[in-house]
Amino acid sequence: MKKHNFSAGPSILPKEVMLKASEAVMDLDGIGLSLIEISHRSKEFVAIMEKARSLALELMGLEGKGYQAIFLQGGASMQFMMTAFNLLEKKAGYVNTGTWSQKAIKEARLFGEVVEVASSQEDNFDHIPKRYKVPGDLDYLHLTSNNTIYGTQMKEFPETDVPLVCDMSSDIFSRQLDFSKFDLIYAGAQKNMGPAGTTLVVVKEDILGKVSRKIPSMLDYGVHIKQDSMFNTPPVFAIYVSMLTMQWLKDLGGIPAIEEINERKANLIYSEIELNPVFAGFAAKEDRSLMNATFNITDDGLKDMFDEMCKEAGVSGIKGHRSVGGYRASMYNALPIESVGVLVDIMSELEKKG
Ligand SMILES: *Cc1c(COP(=O)(O)O)cnc(C)c1O
């Protein structure tokens, strides 16, 4: 039986996508060869890459606006360094909203001055800092739109003339945003787009080429763009599955359609957390993530029972990250609302038993 998959990442993908992907591993669209045994320069794979790149821009409404989408390797963690390498000449600003922001800050410090423009570290990152001033002399401001570990999400983004760089690894394609506000967006595939192994980078071309340092080819966005994201052998399987997931999302009605479903799922679990005295939410109410709901059990004596009930119902992957503890239910695009319903039923049943 398929479990209810609340894993934070790698995470659930649409069933149709996995079926199609498994077929393509044996025989890609009836060509008599597997997706993973053909040249990445074959016309079949070039078409897949181009489709993936154009779907990414289309879903974000960024076609014809000076942006390029490329699929790189090294995870979002590689982008912590690569963004700074390509964009940081003198000084960059970072909003510190958790572990992933901190890792990005650490890497950027290798290349220039980094100012922490705002931070919620003192409160163990249970909220998103607001009303901070963005210095005007930054090469860019780096944000993390969704903090996977803490379950906080930026609902608003700073109004500034400074270029915005955003790590959207765990909420890419989950809600409507004016993506043209950002100059560079990156997202590891394995949270909301595909299997691990590739990272989507969407970059406005005119912010590139401004740093004076020499950039090794593999780390140079410009090189990857010029080579149509085929500078070297790309991770063909991860890109293919990401392409299928984006096509699935487009067929569903795109980001507006999935946003509505994601809001319904989040409302379902958050209203249970609010009304049920056995549970307490971790993240500040106004910053709660549509993707990752973090919560604790208020009565330690009920934990084993809750774990047992979840196990019996096939609820999988809700253990919280070690830096927060408690529970985390990740509700990425492909998670059906029925799965959230199963979890919420267990939560309300636990209240009756408590
Ligand atoms: C998971 C995650 C990362 C790290 O991604 P890798 O692909 O493992 O490097 C970075 N940022 C955010 C917001 C994440 O959720």
XYZ file of all heavy atoms in Angstrom, residues 87-161:
604
model
N 28.172 36.870 -8.390
C 27.485 38.156 -8.173
C 28.110 39.052 -7.118
O 27.808 40.233 -7.055
C 26.015 37.894 -7.779
C 25.169 37.055 -8.740
C 23.797 36.801 -8.133
C 25.033 37.715 -10.103
N 28.938 38.470 -6.249
C 29.447 39.265 -5.126
C 30.783 39.910 -5.472
O 31.806 39.227 -5.585
C 29.575 38.373 -3.878
C 30.196 38.987 -2.623
C 29.587 40.319 -2.273
C 30.065 38.027 -1.450
N 30.753 41.229 -5.648
C 31.994 41.956 -5.915
C 32.512 42.559 -4.609
O 33.652 42.350 -4.239
C 31.721 43.048 -6.960
C 32.931 43.889 -7.326
C 33.931 43.159 -8.222
O 33.605 42.053 -8.726
O 35.043 43.674 -8.413
N 31.657 43.284 -3.921
C 32.095 43.948 -2.683
C 31.292 43.496 -1.480
O 31.818 42.988 -0.514
C 31.914 45.470 -2.839
C 33.006 46.160 -3.615
C 33.098 47.634 -3.176
C 34.279 48.343 -3.819
N 34.011 48.626 -5.264
N 29.992 43.696 -1.553
C 29.177 43.500 -0.349
C 27.810 42.933 -0.708
O 27.153 43.413 -1.629
C 29.010 44.860 0.338
C 28.333 44.797 1.675
C 28.677 46.021 2.519
C 27.578 47.047 2.426
N 27.797 48.194 3.318
N 27.395 41.927 0.028
C 26.066 41.354 -0.187
C 25.322 41.314 1.144
O 25.930 41.251 2.207
C 26.171 39.945 -0.766
N 24.000 41.372 1.071
C 23.178 41.278 2.273
C 22.457 39.943 2.316
O 22.077 39.394 1.269
N 22.289 39.414 3.525
C 21.585 38.144 3.694
C 20.556 38.279 4.801
O 20.847 38.882 5.839
C 22.573 37.012 4.048
C 23.296 36.467 2.827
C 24.220 37.252 2.138
C 23.021 35.186 2.338
C 24.862 36.766 1.001
C 23.659 34.692 1.210
C 24.573 35.476 0.541
O 25.193 35.004 -0.581
N 19.382 37.751 4.589
C 18.401 37.656 5.660
C 18.522 36.248 6.229
O 18.366 35.253 5.511
C 16.967 37.940 5.149
C 15.959 37.772 6.275
C 16.888 39.358 4.577
N 18.827 36.189 7.517
C 19.114 34.907 8.156
C 17.849 34.321 8.775
O 17.420 34.733 9.847
C 20.199 35.125 9.224
C 20.562 33.831 9.935
O 20.113 32.753 9.560
N 21.381 33.951 10.967
N 17.259 33.383 8.061
C 16.014 32.784 8.546
C 16.170 31.299 8.867
O 15.178 30.578 8.975
C 14.880 32.958 7.504
O 15.372 32.495 6.229
C 14.455 34.408 7.377
N 17.399 30.833 9.018
C 17.557 29.436 9.419
C 18.823 28.793 8.911
O 19.711 29.443 8.339
N 18.890 27.496 9.124
C 20.083 26.709 8.775
C 20.543 26.944 7.341
O 21.734 27.115 7.084
C 19.761 25.207 8.945
O 19.295 25.014 10.280
C 20.969 24.340 8.691
N 19.589 26.950 6.407
C 19.997 27.063 4.997
C 20.536 28.454 4.702
O 21.517 28.621 3.983
C 18.848 26.696 4.057
C 18.402 25.277 4.231
C 17.153 24.851 4.610
C 19.193 24.082 4.085
N 17.134 23.481 4.698
C 18.355 22.992 4.382
C 20.527 23.834 3.730
C 18.801 21.665 4.333
C 20.980 22.513 3.685
C 20.110 21.453 3.986
N 19.912 29.488 5.279
C 20.450 30.845 5.117
C 21.857 30.921 5.686
O 22.746 31.533 5.088
C 19.603 31.877 5.872
O 18.256 31.747 5.609
N 22.051 30.315 6.853
C 23.366 30.382 7.500
C 24.438 29.717 6.649
O 25.564 30.186 6.564
C 23.302 29.723 8.874
C 22.560 30.569 9.884
C 22.420 29.892 11.226
O 22.076 28.708 11.297
N 22.679 30.623 12.285
N 24.059 28.622 6.020
C 25.028 27.947 5.138
C 25.359 28.822 3.939
O 26.505 28.872 3.481
C 24.481 26.592 4.693
C 24.421 25.611 5.848
C 24.144 24.194 5.392
C 24.276 23.284 6.620
N 24.180 21.878 6.330
N 24.354 29.514 3.421
C 24.583 30.421 2.294
C 25.507 31.569 2.719
O 26.420 31.959 1.977
C 23.245 30.962 1.782
N 25.287 32.091 3.913
C 26.117 33.192 4.441
C 27.568 32.747 4.569
O 28.500 33.441 4.165
C 25.556 33.669 5.807
C 24.227 34.381 5.610
C 26.572 34.556 6.542
C 23.439 34.652 6.895
N 27.751 31.562 5.106
C 29.108 31.032 5.320
C 29.877 30.951 3.998
O 31.038 31.347 3.908
C 29.002 29.645 5.967
C 30.330 28.956 6.165
C 30.178 27.718 7.047
C 31.529 27.060 7.279
N 31.773 25.922 6.369
N 29.224 30.477 2.966
C 29.895 30.350 1.664
C 30.181 31.728 1.062
O 31.253 31.971 0.523
C 29.030 29.537 0.691
C 28.760 28.113 1.122
C 30.026 27.316 1.384
O 30.813 27.138 0.436
O 30.234 26.874 2.533
N 29.213 32.640 1.164
C 29.382 33.966 0.551
C 30.556 34.706 1.174
O 31.248 35.475 0.497
C 28.093 34.771 0.690
N 30.783 34.477 2.469
C 31.888 35.171 3.169
C 33.250 34.833 2.559
O 34.217 35.567 2.762
C 31.880 34.817 4.666
C 30.706 35.417 5.396
C 31.041 35.837 6.847
N 30.085 36.842 7.297
C 29.129 36.628 8.200
N 29.036 35.458 8.809
N 28.287 37.587 8.529
N 33.332 33.764 1.813
C 34.588 33.419 1.148
C 34.921 34.418 0.040
O 36.057 34.493 -0.415
C 34.508 32.012 0.533
C 34.266 30.838 1.492
C 33.991 29.567 0.704
C 35.466 30.649 2.416
N 33.916 35.170 -0.413
C 34.117 35.981 -1.623
C 33.973 37.480 -1.425
O 34.228 38.241 -2.354
C 33.142 35.512 -2.720
C 33.242 34.046 -2.996
C 32.266 33.165 -2.552
C 34.355 33.543 -3.654
C 32.381 31.800 -2.779
C 34.474 32.182 -3.888
C 33.484 31.308 -3.449
N 33.547 37.921 -0.261
C 33.393 39.361 -0.063
C 32.747 39.649 1.277
O 32.550 38.744 2.094
N 32.382 40.898 1.457
C 31.756 41.293 2.717
C 30.283 40.871 2.712
O 29.572 41.062 1.722
C 31.859 42.828 2.871
C 31.371 43.299 4.225
C 31.324 44.822 4.328
O 31.927 45.509 3.468
O 30.670 45.307 5.266
N 29.877 40.307 3.826
C 28.479 39.883 3.937
C 27.863 40.535 5.167
O 28.418 40.441 6.255
C 28.391 38.344 4.065
C 26.987 37.916 4.460
C 28.806 37.678 2.754
N 26.763 41.242 4.967
C 26.056 41.786 6.124
C 24.754 41.013 6.334
O 24.037 40.704 5.383
C 25.735 43.292 5.978
C 26.992 44.122 6.175
C 25.103 43.613 4.651
N 24.507 40.700 7.605
C 23.250 40.062 7.947
C 22.246 41.185 8.156
O 22.260 41.872 9.163
C 23.443 39.247 9.231
C 22.834 37.881 9.160
C 23.132 37.066 10.404
O 22.390 37.202 11.387
O 24.111 36.309 10.370
N 21.383 41.353 7.174
C 20.458 42.484 7.182
C 19.379 42.312 8.245
O 18.904 43.274 8.851
C 19.840 42.639 5.764
C 18.663 43.574 5.771
C 20.906 43.109 4.780
N 19.001 41.071 8.494
C 18.001 40.763 9.525
C 18.145 39.291 9.882
O 18.658 38.501 9.085
C 16.597 41.047 9.020
N 17.713 38.958 11.096
C 17.845 37.565 11.543
C 16.766 37.240 12.569
O 16.337 38.101 13.329
C 19.230 37.369 12.177
O 19.300 36.119 12.821
N 16.339 35.987 12.590
C 15.423 35.548 13.647
C 16.072 34.441 14.474
O 15.392 33.647 15.118
C 14.085 35.086 13.048
O 14.294 34.173 11.996
N 17.383 34.439 14.459
C 18.129 33.386 15.157
C 17.848 33.353 16.661
O 17.765 32.277 17.257
C 19.631 33.574 14.915
C 20.474 32.473 15.566
C 21.879 32.404 14.999
O 22.370 33.356 14.398
N 22.521 31.276 15.176
N 17.688 34.542 17.261
C 17.456 34.602 18.715
C 16.218 33.825 19.137
O 16.116 33.409 20.287
C 17.284 36.060 19.155
C 18.613 36.742 19.392
C 18.445 38.151 19.955
O 17.329 38.513 20.381
O 19.445 38.865 19.937
N 15.268 33.691 18.232
C 14.038 32.961 18.551
C 14.008 31.594 17.878
O 12.942 31.093 17.535
C 12.829 33.791 18.120
C 12.817 35.150 18.788
O 12.860 35.182 20.028
O 12.809 36.169 18.079
N 15.181 31.028 17.711
C 15.296 29.746 17.007
C 14.511 29.729 15.690
O 13.903 28.730 15.319
C 14.903 28.561 17.900
C 15.356 27.224 17.317
O 16.310 27.164 16.524
N 14.672 26.140 17.671
N 14.527 30.855 15.007
C 13.959 30.967 13.657
C 12.473 30.596 13.589
O 12.018 30.002 12.617
C 14.754 30.113 12.666
C 16.225 30.451 12.620
C 17.184 29.551 13.071
C 16.652 31.676 12.128
C 18.540 29.861 13.031
C 18.005 31.999 12.079
C 18.965 31.090 12.535
N 11.731 30.966 14.637
C 10.305 30.619 14.613
C 9.454 31.643 13.852
O 8.237 31.525 13.782
C 9.764 30.425 16.047
C 9.735 31.733 16.839
O 10.188 32.784 16.310
O 9.267 31.709 17.989
N 10.106 32.679 13.313
C 9.356 33.664 12.524
C 10.269 34.261 11.453
O 11.472 34.020 11.444
C 8.799 34.769 13.428
C 9.872 35.644 14.008
N 10.640 35.261 15.094
C 10.324 36.868 13.634
C 11.512 36.226 15.365
N 11.349 37.210 14.496
N 9.658 35.041 10.582
C 10.398 35.742 9.518
C 10.614 37.193 9.987
O 9.635 37.862 10.333
C 9.569 35.749 8.208
C 9.278 34.320 7.732
C 10.253 36.590 7.132
C 10.431 33.574 7.141
N 11.846 37.666 9.991
C 12.061 39.068 10.373
C 11.361 40.000 9.380
O 11.281 39.699 8.191
C 13.581 39.253 10.293
C 14.166 37.936 9.994
C 13.090 36.997 9.587
N 10.843 41.117 9.915
C 10.127 42.067 9.049
C 10.588 43.490 9.343
O 11.258 43.735 10.320
C 8.620 41.952 9.295
C 8.071 40.619 8.823
C 6.659 40.373 9.341
C 6.374 38.882 9.356
N 6.762 38.227 10.600
N 10.186 44.394 8.478
C 10.468 45.822 8.660
C 11.940 46.126 8.912
O 12.288 46.899 9.783
C 9.607 46.399 9.798
C 8.138 46.540 9.408
C 7.276 46.944 10.566
N 7.119 45.873 11.540
C 6.268 44.864 11.432
N 5.484 44.784 10.386
N 6.191 43.930 12.344
N 12.807 45.479 8.189
C 14.235 45.794 8.288
C 14.610 46.695 7.111
O 13.896 46.737 6.101
C 15.083 44.510 8.273
C 14.695 43.516 7.210
C 15.221 43.606 5.913
C 13.781 42.496 7.483
C 14.855 42.702 4.938
C 13.407 41.593 6.496
C 13.942 41.697 5.233
O 13.578 40.806 4.254
N 15.719 47.373 7.266
C 16.166 48.276 6.215
C 17.185 47.576 5.330
O 18.090 46.905 5.833
C 16.787 49.523 6.844
C 16.086 50.801 6.385
C 16.736 52.028 6.982
C 17.553 52.785 6.009
N 17.086 53.395 4.868
N 17.010 47.679 4.045
C 17.983 47.077 3.126
C 18.956 48.170 2.672
O 18.534 49.141 2.041
C 17.272 46.474 1.892
C 18.295 45.854 0.944
C 16.228 45.442 2.317
N 20.251 48.038 3.021
C 21.224 49.045 2.573
C 21.218 49.143 1.046
O 21.023 48.134 0.355
C 22.572 48.506 3.076
C 22.239 47.465 4.107
C 20.890 46.938 3.765
N 21.430 50.339 0.537
C 21.346 50.530 -0.910
C 22.598 50.123 -1.677
O 22.580 50.028 -2.902
N 23.679 49.834 -0.924
C 24.958 49.597 -1.613
C 25.318 48.111 -1.722
O 26.482 47.756 -1.810
C 26.079 50.352 -0.891
C 26.258 49.874 0.552
O 25.341 49.190 1.076
O 27.312 50.168 1.141
N 24.306 47.259 -1.694
C 24.577 45.816 -1.765
C 24.641 45.355 -3.222
O 23.885 45.845 -4.062
C 23.472 45.033 -1.056
C 23.217 45.354 0.426
C 21.994 44.581 0.910
C 24.449 45.003 1.264
N 25.498 44.395 -3.483
C 25.494 43.776 -4.820
C 24.202 42.972 -5.022
O 23.681 42.880 -6.124
C 26.702 42.853 -4.990
C 28.012 43.641 -4.968
O 28.002 44.800 -5.431
O 29.021 43.114 -4.473
N 23.744 42.375 -3.942
C 22.444 41.678 -3.981
C 21.989 41.397 -2.556
O 22.782 41.488 -1.617
C 22.527 40.348 -4.772
C 23.481 39.328 -4.183
C 23.071 38.432 -3.204
C 24.807 39.253 -4.622
C 23.950 37.498 -2.668
C 25.694 38.337 -4.093
C 25.255 37.451 -3.112
O 26.124 36.548 -2.574
N 20.709 41.093 -2.431
C 20.159 40.655 -1.148
C 19.693 39.210 -1.308
O 18.938 38.900 -2.230
C 18.979 41.544 -0.735
C 18.265 41.135 0.569
C 19.173 41.373 1.783
C 16.960 41.928 0.741
N 20.166 38.341 -0.417
C 19.820 36.919 -0.501
C 18.734 36.556 0.508
O 18.837 36.881 1.692
C 21.067 36.062 -0.252
C 20.829 34.582 -0.350
N 20.184 33.859 0.639
C 21.128 33.695 -1.331
C 20.121 32.588 0.259
N 20.679 32.454 -0.926
N 17.705 35.884 0.005
C 16.576 35.487 0.847
C 16.332 33.979 0.728
O 16.727 33.358 -0.262
C 15.296 36.198 0.381
C 15.360 37.720 0.244
C 14.152 38.220 -0.533
C 15.431 38.382 1.621
N 15.700 33.427 1.722
C 15.247 32.027 1.666
C 13.728 32.073 1.804
O 13.212 32.430 2.861
C 15.874 31.208 2.815
O 17.282 31.451 2.841
C 15.604 29.720 2.636
N 13.015 31.771 0.717
C 11.568 32.029 0.725
C 10.810 31.104 1.656
O 9.796 31.484 2.232
C 11.005 31.907 -0.695
O 11.301 30.632 -1.231
N 11.301 29.878 1.812
C 10.617 28.922 2.697
C 11.667 28.166 3.498
O 12.613 27.621 2.928
C 9.791 27.940 1.865
C 8.946 27.014 2.732
O 7.992 27.453 3.367
N 9.311 25.743 2.778
N 11.482 28.188 4.804
C 12.457 27.564 5.688
C 11.960 26.188 6.096
O 11.206 26.035 7.069
C 12.736 28.488 6.868
C 13.294 29.810 6.369
O 14.469 29.910 6.034
N 12.421 30.804 6.229
N 12.382 25.237 5.312
C 11.951 23.849 5.353
C 11.993 23.252 6.759
O 11.108 22.488 7.135
C 12.901 23.042 4.429
O 13.318 23.882 3.355
C 12.225 21.818 3.887
N 13.020 23.617 7.517
C 13.242 23.006 8.832
C 12.290 23.574 9.879
O 11.768 22.841 10.722
C 14.715 23.223 9.259
C 15.641 22.433 8.312
C 14.939 22.848 10.722
C 17.127 22.699 8.507
N 12.018 24.887 9.803
C 11.246 25.583 10.845
C 9.779 25.750 10.459
O 8.948 26.074 11.309
C 11.869 26.957 11.110
C 13.360 26.835 11.298
C 14.218 26.911 10.200
C 13.899 26.552 12.549
C 15.584 26.736 10.348
C 15.254 26.365 12.701
C 16.096 26.457 11.590
O 17.449 26.260 11.734
N 9.480 25.574 9.175
C 8.091 25.749 8.739
C 7.670 27.206 8.664
O 6.507 27.531 8.910
N 8.625 28.083 8.337
C 8.263 29.488 8.128
C 8.431 29.838 6.656
O 9.257 29.253 5.964
C 9.147 30.445 8.957
O 10.507 30.305 8.524
C 9.031 30.156 10.443
N 7.630 30.794 6.220
C 7.638 31.151 4.794
C 7.470 32.661 4.652
O 6.645 33.256 5.348
C 6.479 30.424 4.102
C 6.463 30.559 2.600
C 5.389 29.657 1.979
O 4.306 29.498 2.530
N 5.694 29.084 0.834
N 8.236 33.247 3.764
C 8.103 34.688 3.515
C 6.826 34.944 2.732
O 6.649 34.402 1.647
C 9.294 35.205 2.703
C 10.550 35.286 3.514
S 11.903 36.065 2.606
C 13.159 35.984 3.906
N 5.949 35.760 3.283
C 4.716 36.097 2.572
C 4.913 37.371 1.772
O 4.226 37.607 0.788
C 3.555 36.288 3.562
C 3.378 35.137 4.556
C 2.858 33.857 3.900
C 2.945 32.698 4.886
N 2.425 31.456 4.398
N 5.817 38.204 2.245
C 6.141 39.428 1.518
C 7.633 39.528 1.336
O 8.386 38.998 2.147
C 5.626 40.638 2.294
C 4.153 40.878 2.065
C 3.573 41.874 3.027
O 4.341 42.648 3.626
O 2.343 41.857 3.178
N 8.015 40.211 0.278
C 9.444 40.350 -0.004
C 9.810 41.825 0.026
O 8.981 42.670 -0.307
C 9.755 39.709 -1.360
C 9.532 38.224 -1.349
C 8.279 37.691 -1.628
C 10.558 37.367 -0.996
C 8.057 36.315 -1.580
C 10.343 35.991 -0.942
C 9.097 35.470 -1.241
N 11.036 42.129 0.447
C 11.402 43.540 0.595
C 11.314 44.315 -0.722
O 11.633 43.784 -1.779
C 12.843 43.491 1.111
C 13.297 42.084 1.028
C 12.113 41.215 0.858
N 10.820 45.539 -0.617
C 10.801 46.442 -1.771
C 12.153 47.147 -1.788
O 12.455 47.922 -0.888
C 9.687 47.476 -1.612
C 8.271 46.909 -1.713
C 7.951 46.322 -3.075
O 8.568 46.771 -4.068
O 7.108 45.406 -3.141
N 12.953 46.860 -2.776
C 14.276 47.464 -2.837
C 14.778 47.456 -4.278
O 14.326 46.644 -5.093
C 15.279 46.692 -1.932
O 16.602 47.162 -2.172
C 15.243 45.192 -2.197
N 15.709 48.353 -4.552
C 16.317 48.368 -5.885
C 17.487 47.390 -5.979
O 18.005 47.136 -7.061
C 16.820 49.781 -6.222
C 15.664 50.754 -6.363
O 14.555 50.289 -6.716
O 15.854 51.960 -6.114
